[in-house]
Amino acid sequence: MKISIVGGGPGGLYFALLAKKRWPDWDITVYERNAPDSTFGFGVVFSDETLGFLDDYDNPSYEAIRRSFAYWDDVHVHYQGQVLKSGGNGFCGCSRLTLLQILQQRCRELGVTMHFNTEIEDEGQFSDSDLIVAADGINSRIRQNHEDWFQPQFDWRRNYFCWLGSSREFDAFKYFFQETEHGVVIAHCYQYEPGRSTWVVEMAPETWQGLGFDRMAEDEYTRVLEEIFDEELDGHPLIANRSLWRQFPMIRNRRWVKDNIVLLGDSQHTAHYSIGSGTKLAMESAIALFEAVESRPTDVDQALAEFEDNRRTEVEITQHAADVSLSWFENINRHWGMDPEPFAFALMSRAKKLTYENLQLRDQSFVDRCNEWFVRRERERGFEVADDTAPMFTPFRLRGMTVPNRVVVSPMAQYMAEDGMPNDWHLVHYGSRAVGGAGLMYTEMTCVSPDARITPGCTGLWNEAQRDAFRRIVDFVHQQSDTRICMQLGHSGRKGSTQVGWQRMDHPLPEGNWPIYSASPIPYFEGESQVPIEMSRADMDRVRDDFVRSAKLAEEAGFDMLELHMAHGYLLASFISPLTNLREDEYGGSVGNRLRFPLEVFEAVRAVWPEDKPMSVRISATDWKEGGLSDEELSVVARSFRDAGVDLIDVSAGQTVPDQKPVYGRMFQTPFADKVRNETGVATMAVGNITTPDQVNTILMAERADLVALARPHLSDPYFTLHAGAWYQQPDVEWHRAHGAGRFQAYRNAEKDREELTDLRIQTRPRSHEVVEEPAGSGEGRGTGRAA
């Protein structure tokens, strides 16, 4: 087999040495445009987990690498004159040049041919090669030659950054935050060899321009940065090495393989430096490519197909984490001004991999400090909170209503009503979840008129009989639990007169359809759904009055809180989104015009809803489609409702159009709640694929939301909150007196289960690869073998 590798970076070299080690008789050649001792930048970072992979696949290079690394366990966050320390992270840094030299030497030992100072313009010269690996970097010439096939996507991120070095040594990974008159400047710093550290400095474009960096030479802006970080440098200089200002390109390719050509490393994918090194991702991809070739050594086509199939998901997960991480730094102003504890916790948990419990496992003292801050703040708000109370079990006040904890049963359509009437099913459904301990519980979207229903099975609140049926439920909740209950009112709009959820959801009824309305006459499914009636002013008056009538009935039924549904493409949402509102009158066009009718409804309802009872609105923060609601418009929507007197914004997303392209993942809508809360000052509720108490505590501790709503977890476990109380051994979580014996058993079993799980997690954590030099005569330095 003849393999030609274009690009002598870490990914290309590592694949070369693995392949040559496995098949010594194969002809493997690396072509690199630069000299063997040329490199740009300073250090690279690996985790203990990645070093473990390197040890598994080639021990000699692993040993050389780990003996050249500077190792650290702690992350230090320097913010507002304080230093918050989080241990147990297990990272190490190495000079990029040293890493390349180690891999080059290993390739020589194994017999890999390497050509340096060799520019490859066209892979046609490798026509006799069985496999061509395009590891030629961000500006890959080979990828460019076949751009129509690979279809690369470049997402040039907002912040400007540059790589610098310093002679300042560190014993931890350091985040430095300095506020200048033009904005915040951030430095990501770590030591990579004795007497040398990497400084990645980044800032918003406005800050970069305000400081004049767009007009300065390298030596000039280096001096300015030395002044900004004078205290942190402690007398040491910054060192430049082609330290140019750039904006990070997030690169994705629709395809990775063309015939016998495969992309590898930065030509294939990039990941932002804030979650580690792109070198890590490149070398892990090199391992995956090697595994694929090893499984199909005589069938290159199949090997490359398996490589892309098996590796793509992992790369996309890493890139998504990188997207979330870099967004935190891009939006630093959103978090600036927080107290140090939530700021540091938000920084550590920004990419979602590190959570409340994971950070406890790594460094209990760090989480304890954050928890102490959270408890202290709640006491300052007038609540009696025990020292060891987890964030999710602290109370929260909205106007005259106080919920006993931050867990919310999210609105969930049941489709079990007849003529809008709630029945025994709803009593059991809501009653069991109230007894299950949630602080607040929402009804399913309850419709304000017969033609406002989504399906024939939806609940309604347009008459006294429905009011009385709901009062039966509310009375049970109040008599048998401390849960507060919120009525969610809505109108289906163009998504009405459809089949129930377990049939063809969002599709029209086979028969018996009723007229539907929307901001504009656009059907949900073109050619299949009904064309909605564009609302006239008279229609608006009728619908507004329907909401007012239902709000009065909700008050008579005894509900503690009221929410108006303005999300998911339903009627009020259809006015807000530019995808569904094409009106040319005063209710269409600008976001201010599109908000006119939703705000009118809110204000009319607020006027009849009791002053001491809170109101919320549910919004779709994005439509997940180009041309939909923008980030800037989301801010306008949130501020408009804040100014109108809303107490809480329930931040959901999407479901506006059927061809949406959502970006799913754990807690995937939480960043929108974070944006609304911390940019507008209004309380928010996070919702969307939040499944565990650990995630609830993570969101709350990072101040990304004030309440956390869970839907499906409450379907599978009505006692979610009580079980979480047992898991965290919370003494003040009350169980219904009829279930007292179950509480004792749940707490006893949970304590044992958590101890066992913690022990298992400790045992399965990657081992430390730090070299510990032993006294003379006792043998060579070796890894500590401890979990890190």
Side-chain angles (χ1 to χ4, degrees):
M1 170 100 56
K2 182 174 182 179
I3 300 177
S4 296
I5 302 171
V6 183
L13 290 172
Y14 202 64
F15 173 73
L17 74 85
L18 292 179
K20 191 67 174 178
K21 176 182 174 182
R22 176 65 178 82
W23 300 285
D25 58 334
W26 284 13
D27 180 358
I28 301 176
T29 306
V30 176
Y31 300 85
E32 166 57 37
R33 63 169 60 98
N34 296 308
D37 57 352
S38 294
T39 189
F40 309 107
F42 296 90
V44 297
V45 176
F46 289 147
S47 65
D48 277 334
E49 182 179 25
T50 299
L51 285 176
F53 293 152
L54 302 185
D55 187 15
D56 292 340
Y57 284 87
D58 186 59
N59 179 261
S61 60
Y62 156 79
E63 284 294 339
I65 289 169
R66 81 181 184 97
R67 293 175 186 278
S68 302
F69 267 83
Y71 194 91
W72 66 87
D73 204 46
D74 289 353
V75 173
H76 293 177
V77 181
H78 295 249
Y79 170 73
Q80 291 187 350
Q82 295 195 39
V83 182
L84 279 86
K85 301 178 181 181
S86 177
N89 296 286
F91 279 91
C92 41
C94 175
S95 161
R96 178 175 170 82
L97 177 58
T98 300
L99 175 64
L100 289 174
Q101 291 174 336
I102 288 170
L103 297 178
Q104 290 167 8
Q105 178 59 34
R106 182 63 174 147
C107 283
R108 292 189 191 96
E109 293 171 0
L110 294 167
V112 175
T113 303
M114 292 180 288
H115 298 291
F116 295 95
N117 299 307
T118 304
E119 189 73 51
I120 303 298
E121 301 284 349
D122 183 358
E123 74 282 358
Q125 67 189 79
F126 306 126
S127 58
D128 60 340
S129 295
D130 300 287
L131 174 61
I132 301 171
V133 179
D136 49 343
I138 286 176
N139 299 311
S140 169
R141 204 60 76 77
I142 294 177
R143 186 191 62 217
Q144 183 178 348
N145 293 342
H146 304 284
E147 189 170 0
D148 290 344
W149 178 262
F150 290 116
Q151 296 183 36
Q153 298 175 336
F154 297 85
D155 179 11
W156 294 91
R157 302 303 304 200
R158 186 171 185 271
N159 278 9
Y160 280 87
F161 75 97
C162 72
W163 290 76
L164 296 156
S166 176
S167 55
R168 170 82 195 271
E169 292 187 336
F170 294 121
D171 60 354
F173 191 105
K174 301 275 190 175
Y175 288 108
F176 295 122
F177 297 87
Q178 283 290 359
E179 187 173 23
T180 73
E181 62 177 316
H182 301 290
V184 179
V185 181
I186 308 164
H188 312 238
C189 306
Y190 58 88
Q191 182 170 327
Y192 62 85
E193 65 182 21
R196 285 292 183 269
S197 57
T198 289
W199 288 60
V200 185
V201 179
E202 73 167 297
M203 64 198 73
E206 301 82 7
T207 306
W208 181 71
Q209 292 175 342
L211 290 168
F213 290 161
D214 56 331
R215 303 180 297 277
M216 292 183 189
E218 184 181 80
D219 61 328
E220 294 177 297
Y221 58 70
T222 300
R223 287 196 298 272
V224 174
L225 290 172
E226 286 176 337
E227 293 174 4
I228 292 172
F229 292 106
D230 177 66
E231 181 178 345
E232 292 81 0
L233 285 163
D234 194 27
H236 293 264
L238 287 174
I239 303 167
N241 176 11
R242 289 191 64 187
S243 301
L244 305 177
W245 289 106
R246 294 174 287 163
Q247 289 171 296
F248 188 85
M250 185 65 79
I251 297 175
R252 295 173 171 87
N253 288 274
R254 182 177 179 184
R255 299 185 181 97
W256 293 357
V257 175
K258 184 184 188 301
D259 302 324
N260 67 334
I261 302 172
V262 60
L263 303 178
L264 187 69
D266 284 349
S267 69
Q268 178 197 95
H269 49 58
T270 57
H272 194 253
Y273 51 81
S274 64
I275 65 163
S277 171
T279 302
K280 163 191 178 297
L281 192 61
M283 293 181 72
E284 289 176 353
S285 288
I287 290 171
L289 179 59
F290 165 73
E291 288 181 331
V293 173
E294 187 178 40
S295 69
R296 303 279 185 173
T298 61
D299 190 341
V300 170
D301 290 345
Q302 187 62 34
L304 296 185
E306 289 183 2
F307 165 65
E308 182 164 358
D309 287 345
N310 296 336
R311 179 64 177 158
R312 182 175 283 277
T313 298
E314 186 63 32
V315 167
E316 290 177 350
I317 289 172
T318 300
Q319 288 189 301
H320 175 66
D323 280 342
V324 175
S325 175
L326 69 85
S327 178
W328 193 90
F329 291 101
E330 287 180 341
N331 294 288
I332 188 65
N333 289 338
R334 184 183 300 168
H335 311 282
W336 199 255
M338 282 184 176
D339 287 347
E341 289 82 1
F343 182 89
F345 190 93
L347 171 62
M348 294 299 297
S349 62
R350 67 191 181 279
K352 301 189 291 188
K353 183 177 181 180
L354 299 186
T355 62
Y356 183 82
E357 290 183 19
N358 185 278
L359 288 166
Q360 280 183 319
L361 189 67
R362 291 169 180 242
D363 187 349
Q364 182 69 50
S365 64
F366 171 72
V367 177
D368 284 347
R369 175 172 174 177
C370 294
N371 230 81
E372 288 166 5
W373 167 85
F374 202 100
V375 167
R376 184 170 64 251
R377 185 190 64 177
E378 296 312 303
R379 289 172 176 167
E380 291 170 355
R381 291 175 172 175
F383 295 115
E384 294 184 6
V385 181
D387 290 343
D388 58 352
T389 304
M392 66 185 291
F393 293 106
T394 59
F396 188 70
R397 183 183 296 115
L398 291 168
R399 295 202 182 212
M401 181 188 79
T402 299
V403 294
N405 60 65
R406 308 295 187 95
V407 181
V408 180
V409 178
S410 194
M412 292 176 283
Q414 298 296 295
Y415 309 114
M416 293 294 288
E418 294 184 11
D419 297 322
M421 283 285 290
N423 50 45
D424 286 351
W425 172 267
H426 299 88
L427 176 65
V428 173
H429 171 72
Y430 293 116
S432 61
R433 282 149 189 86
V435 173
L440 179 63
M441 177 169 59
Y442 278 68
T443 67
E444 61 190 284
M445 188 179 98
T446 298
C447 305
V448 296
S449 62
D451 64 357
R453 291 175 297 163
I454 307 168
T455 76
C458 291
T459 54
L461 189 53
W462 61 79
N463 60 44
E464 294 179 352
Q466 294 161 344
R467 175 202 63 191
D468 294 342
F470 269 118
R471 181 189 292 152
R472 177 179 177 228
I473 295 169
V474 173
D475 287 347
F476 179 89
V477 170
H478 287 161
Q479 292 165 9
Q480 303 299 336
S481 77
D482 292 327
T483 299
R484 304 295 182 261
I485 184 166
C486 176
M487 164 57 71
Q488 185 190 72
L489 294 177
H491 189 301
S492 59
R494 70 175 187 155
K495 296 175 76 174
S497 191
T498 58
Q499 300 174 45
V500 299
W502 50 81
Q503 295 173 337
R504 298 182 70 210
M505 188 167 66
D506 293 330
H507 289 263
L509 295 169
E511 59 183 9
N513 286 283
W514 54 83
I516 59 176
Y517 297 83
S518 189
S520 297
I522 307 170
Y524 188 70
F525 290 114
E526 186 68 38
E528 183 177 355
S529 298
Q530 285 192 74
V531 177
I533 299 167
E534 180 174 286
M535 292 186 74
S536 66
R537 183 60 249 187
D539 293 327
M540 294 182 202
D541 290 342
R542 176 178 60 83
V543 169
R544 179 201 60 212
D545 293 346
D546 286 343
F547 272 95
V548 169
R549 177 187 60 202
S550 295
K552 292 178 179 177
L553 292 170
E555 160 60 11
E556 292 169 8
F559 282 94
D560 303 294
M561 180 176 172
L562 189 67
E563 175 167 287
L564 302 187
H565 201 321
M566 300 190 184
H568 300 171
Y570 297 126
L571 181 66
L572 297 178
S574 75
F575 278 84
I576 297 172
S577 171
L579 297 177
T580 50
N581 185 343
L582 304 182
R583 301 174 71 104
E584 296 180 354
D585 60 8
E586 65 269 34
Y587 299 100
S590 69
V591 65
N593 282 355
R594 302 196 311 266
L595 277 168
R596 283 181 187 271
F597 182 56
L599 281 170
E600 178 184 332
V601 173
F602 175 84
E603 290 167 351
V605 171
R606 180 68 266 183
V608 301
W609 187 246
E611 180 67 23
D612 65 332
K613 290 188 176 184
M615 276 187 65
S616 62
V617 293
R618 168 168 274 199
I619 63 172
S620 285
T622 177
D623 295 318
W624 298 120
K625 183 179 179 179
E626 187 175 354
L629 194 75
S630 68
D631 276 353
E632 294 75 18
E633 290 178 328
L634 170 60
S635 296
V636 173
V637 170
R639 290 190 178 97
S640 297
F641 281 107
R642 177 199 64 190
D643 295 344
V646 81
D647 301 293
L648 177 81
I649 297 183
D650 175 0
V651 188
S652 188
Q655 301 182 53
T656 305
V657 292
D659 56 341
Q660 64 176 1
K661 294 183 179 179
V663 180
Y664 290 120
R666 291 170 295 170
M667 304 176 280
F668 73 110
Q669 293 173 165
T670 299
F672 300 120
D674 184 0
K675 172 183 171 65
V676 170
R677 180 188 190 276
N678 291 307
E679 289 184 4
T680 69
V682 66
T684 61
M685 182 165 73
V687 62
N689 202 21
I690 301 166
T691 59
T692 66
D694 183 25
Q695 292 172 355
V696 175
N697 282 318
T698 302
I699 292 167
L700 295 171
M701 185 68 81
E703 295 210 279
R704 307 189 79 180
D706 300 280
L707 297 173
V708 181
L710 304 93
R712 292 172 184 172
H714 277 115
L715 290 180
S716 61
D717 181 9
Y719 299 92
F720 174 90
T721 305
L722 297 184
H723 292 152
W727 182 254
Y728 290 113
Q729 298 291 295
Q730 298 290 291
D732 296 331
V733 176
E734 295 292 334
W735 287 49
H736 192 281
R737 58 187 178 275
H739 293 169
R743 183 186 192 278
F744 172 78
Q745 184 181 53
Y747 272 64
R748 183 181 61 186
N749 291 346
E751 182 178 26
K752 180 180 178 181
D753 291 345
R754 190 170 185 194
E755 287 177 356
E756 291 177 351
L757 181 60
T758 299
D759 289 343
L760 180 62
R761 285 173 172 171
I762 292 173
Q763 293 169 17
T764 56
R765 286 171 63 184
R767 76 182 193 278
S768 168
H769 301 268
E770 183 179 12
V771 175
V772 179
E773 297 298 335
E774 298 189 358
S778 63
E780 295 186 10
R782 55 182 176 79
T784 63
R786 63 179 174 84

